[in-house]
Amino acid sequence: MCQVYAGTKPTDYAQVTRSVRLHRAVTSIRLENRFWAIIDRMATEEGTTTPRFLAVLYDEVLERHGEVRNFASLLRVACTTYLARRSGLDPVALEAVEPPEMRAA
């Protein structure tokens, strides 16, 4: 089993930093190559460029939650959600259980 994971090419998990414009400010996002490849595919499927896709996603999260705490982590989770949906899995089944300290009182 571990050969499936251990055999991952180092270039796939090498980190790459890309600069993007979010809310008229240029920022850097550092992700592994594999995640960038998935995000590029997601953008293509949405009929847009990767920078535009990221800006729209950022704005939607900001509108929905009022803040974007860790955009790189959100992007990784968005990638797993995308892959789960493409595989016919229920993305909700992959959701993490909210820690007690994060739950509303």
Side-chain angles (χ1 to χ4, degrees), residues 4-70:
V4 171
Y5 308 115
T8 302
K9 293 183 283 182
T11 55
D12 283 352
Y13 57 85
Q15 292 189 332
V16 174
T17 302
R18 292 190 190 179
S19 294
V20 295
R21 186 174 296 278
L22 303 173
H23 282 273
R24 291 177 264 198
V26 176
T27 189
S28 296
I29 301 172
R30 187 172 176 92
L31 295 172
E32 295 74 16
N33 273 326
R34 175 81 53 95
F35 287 112
W36 281 122
I38 297 166
I39 291 167
D40 290 341
R41 180 178 292 175
M42 293 165 68
T44 298
E45 289 182 11
E46 291 291 325
T48 190
T49 64
T50 298
R52 180 72 185 135
F53 176 79
L54 295 174
V56 169
L57 178 59
Y58 185 91
D59 288 345
E60 288 177 358
V61 172
L62 191 60
E63 182 179 317
R64 178 172 276 201
H65 299 289
E67 66 180 336
V68 183
R69 288 188 184 171
N70 187 332

Side-chain angles (χ1 to χ4, degrees), residues 79-99:
C79 288
T80 64
T81 301
Y82 168 81
L83 293 174
R85 293 182 71 193
R86 285 184 55 100
S87 299
L89 299 173
D90 179 8
V92 174
L94 300 176
E95 288 183 2
V97 176
E98 193 172 78

